[in-house]
């Protein structure tokens, strides 16, 4: 990071308005590298604040795709953070589960052709089923001086990344209703392939159980 970039980053504090509510916000680069993503720090968060680690999804966030849960998860996370008046969104530049937008489109195409889920489609095409990493996000959170956080997630890999940098983590489920049958199938695939804490249709009570910490 150049000196000019560092100075600009230190002066990013401004008012953020959403749903008619104003919240102070500042922006930092993840691990000092904007190419990795950014930390959006709302209010004045301290220990045990809400944190969401979120990977970019152009389809679900900007194009309102109904084929995944990315848009609803992001919006719900922001709702919860704004309701508390403070919290942190770590927004990672990891489109297409880390493989990029072209790979994502190819994965959808292969899934439609074969009838497989997109995790299987990725591996068929030679991509990792999920190539994302949360280590840089974890280091950035630790660098803020936090000792413990409440992590909005269904993904055990995100929890483990924070535990690895000695953060005390309380995982909080982030369930959203599927927007379509295709989105429901994607949630099921995340549960089966990646071990996400998403309740099966025949186990709705799972949404209210305490999530396990990495052992």
């Amino acid at each position: 990071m150049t000196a000019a970039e560092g100075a600009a980053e230190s002066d990013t504090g401004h008012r953020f308005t959403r749903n008619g509510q104003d919240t102070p916000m500042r922006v930092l680069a993840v691990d000092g590298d904007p190419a990795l993503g950014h930390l959006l720090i709302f209010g004045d968060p301290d220990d045990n604040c809400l944190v969401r680690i979120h990977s970019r999804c152009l389809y679900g966030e900007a194009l309102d795709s109904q084929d995944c849960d990315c848009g609803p998860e992001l919006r719900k996370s922001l709702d919860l953070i704004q309701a508390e008046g403070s919290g942190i969104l770590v927004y990672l530049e990891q489109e297409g589960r880390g493989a990029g937008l072209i790979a994502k489109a190819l994965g959808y195409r292969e899934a439609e052709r074969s009838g497989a889920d997109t995790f299987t489609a990725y591996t068929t095409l030679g991509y990792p089923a999920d190539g994302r990493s949360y280590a840089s996000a974890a280091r950035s959170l630790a660098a803020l001086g936090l000792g413990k956080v409440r992590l909005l997630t269904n993904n055990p890999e995100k929890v483990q990344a924070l535990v690895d940098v000695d953060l005390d983590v309380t995982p909080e489920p982030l369930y959203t209703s599927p927007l379509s049958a295709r989105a429901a199938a994607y949630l099921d695939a995340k549960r089966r392939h990646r071990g996400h804490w998403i309740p099966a249709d025949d186990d709705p009570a799972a949404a209210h159980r305490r999530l396990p910490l990495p052992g």
Side-chain angles (χ1 to χ4, degrees):
M1 180 184 298
T2 67
E5 288 171 332
E9 187 172 77
S10 67
D11 295 332
T12 59
H14 64 286
R15 182 183 65 190
F16 175 78
T17 305
R18 178 176 179 271
N19 292 337
Q21 178 180 341
D22 286 348
T23 308
M25 185 178 80
R26 56 193 175 99
V27 181
L28 303 175
V30 168
D31 245 5
D33 184 356
L36 295 174
H38 294 85
L39 290 85
L40 282 67
I41 303 173
F42 297 91
D44 188 19
D46 53 14
D47 265 354
N48 214 34
C49 65
L50 284 176
V51 171
R52 168 66 181 169
I53 299 175
H54 189 92
S55 297
R56 175 187 291 276
C57 176
L58 177 68
Y59 284 13
E61 297 159 16
L63 304 183
D64 290 331
S65 168
Q66 296 182 334
D67 298 325
C68 66
D69 60 336
C70 303
E73 280 193 331
L74 181 59
R75 289 188 289 274
K76 184 172 182 178
S77 296
L78 290 171
D79 288 345
L80 292 169
I81 288 172
Q82 279 198 292
E84 292 214 350
S86 66
I88 302 170
L89 169 65
V90 186
Y91 192 81
L92 298 173
E93 298 293 342
Q94 297 190 140
E95 178 71 64
R97 298 200 294 269
L101 192 59
I102 297 297
K104 181 177 189 170
L106 290 171
Y108 271 127
R109 179 180 175 87
E110 172 61 22
E112 291 172 0
R113 183 197 68 78
S114 66
D117 58 68
T118 58
F119 293 97
T120 301
Y122 267 38
T123 57
T124 298
L125 294 170
Y127 300 112
D130 191 337
R132 291 174 293 181
S133 170
Y134 307 106
S136 60
R139 288 192 298 269
S140 296
L141 289 167
L144 294 176
L146 297 172
K148 56 183 178 180
V149 300
R150 289 174 291 141
L151 187 64
L152 294 164
T153 192
N154 306 320
N155 187 345
E157 292 183 14
K158 294 179 182 180
V159 175
Q160 185 63 60
L162 270 59
V163 170
D164 287 344
V165 296
D166 297 324
L167 281 172
D168 184 349
V169 184
T170 300
E172 297 202 356
L174 190 66
Y175 301 124
T176 60
S177 298
L179 299 175
S180 67
R182 195 175 189 180
Y186 179 55
L187 292 176
D188 180 66
K190 290 204 291 187
R191 182 175 58 247
R192 290 184 291 105
H193 287 279
R194 309 302 300 174
H196 285 207
W197 299 310
I198 298 172
D201 290 341
D202 58 356
D203 188 17
H208 303 289
R209 295 183 192 135
R210 183 176 177 82
L211 299 181
L213 288 169

